[in-house]
Amino acid sequence: MTARLRLEKVTPDNVLDACRLKVAPEQERFVSPVVRSLAEAYADPDTAWPRLVHDGDRLVGFVMAFFDVRFGLGGPADPGNRLRSGLWRLAVAADEQGKGYGRFAVDAVCEEILRRGQKRVTVTWGQGEHGPEGFYLRLGFRRTGEMSEDQVVGEMDLPRG
């Protein structure tokens, strides 16, 4: 399956398809619509890295990473206010879930973070039934004990080359 999986940049040719991507209805409260993510990426292009997940010719998901962001959780002297890179958004189409596309997208973000010289990936998630916490914990993320607004902060160390 992975030979057919790839990430693509968002272009004028595929942006409308990206905006039509929908997660399962019970997940909508945990995942911002792709159109919002693309607006944020447009407004902050130096930080955001939006990509479409394709399996062959099929659009199956959307992922957006962030690079070199300070969460500002405890002020400049707080070690938690270090530069972070990680997973900003992840959406797998409702009828494409459970096929490994989310794992592929997270792995691709981790590879990009490593390529940029970082050794840790950060993610935040909302809590609740049908939320993504179990998915992230199974991938190896651990809770840091921090909150970013109403989101749990998780991190995972990346393998050292």
Side-chain angles (χ1 to χ4, degrees):
M1 175 177 86
T2 56
R4 297 177 45 91
L5 294 182
R6 69 184 186 288
L7 295 185
E8 285 189 9
K9 289 183 178 182
V10 180
T11 68
D13 292 331
N14 62 26
V15 69
L16 292 179
D17 290 335
C19 291
R20 290 184 194 110
L21 188 131
K22 302 285 184 215
V23 297
E26 64 272 11
Q27 297 169 332
E28 288 176 353
R29 71 184 182 110
F30 298 104
V31 182
S32 293
V34 173
V35 68
R36 176 180 172 177
S37 297
L38 293 176
E40 290 171 331
Y42 178 82
D44 198 355
D46 295 333
T47 299
W49 190 74
R51 296 294 187 268
L52 302 179
V53 181
H54 281 265
D55 185 352
D57 293 331
R58 277 188 358 268
L59 172 63
V60 297
F62 172 82
V63 65
M64 187 163 74
F66 65 88
F67 301 106
D68 301 328
V69 172
R70 291 190 193 280
F71 279 30
L73 298 173
D78 182 356
N81 198 26
R82 70 190 181 285
L83 287 175
R84 301 179 197 224
S85 296
L87 188 66
W88 190 348
R89 297 277 161 65
L90 176 61
V92 176
D95 56 346
E96 300 289 357
Q97 295 184 9
K99 300 177 183 177
Y101 301 134
R103 176 179 292 274
F104 169 81
V106 172
D107 287 347
V109 166
C110 291
E111 288 174 20
E112 183 64 17
I113 289 170
L114 280 170
R115 189 186 72 73
R116 292 173 182 238
Q118 306 258 345
K119 301 296 182 195
R120 181 178 297 139
V121 60
T122 301
V123 66
T124 63
W125 64 80
Q127 299 180 81
E129 187 177 4
H130 304 294
E133 182 173 73
F135 170 75
Y136 290 125
L137 295 176
R138 283 190 301 277
L139 290 180
F141 286 92
R142 67 190 181 291
R143 290 169 164 255
T144 66
E146 302 165 289
M147 296 292 287
S148 179
E149 297 179 6
D150 63 344
Q151 302 268 305
V152 172
V153 177
E155 290 187 332
M156 180 172 61
D157 293 325
L158 298 174
R160 304 206 183 261

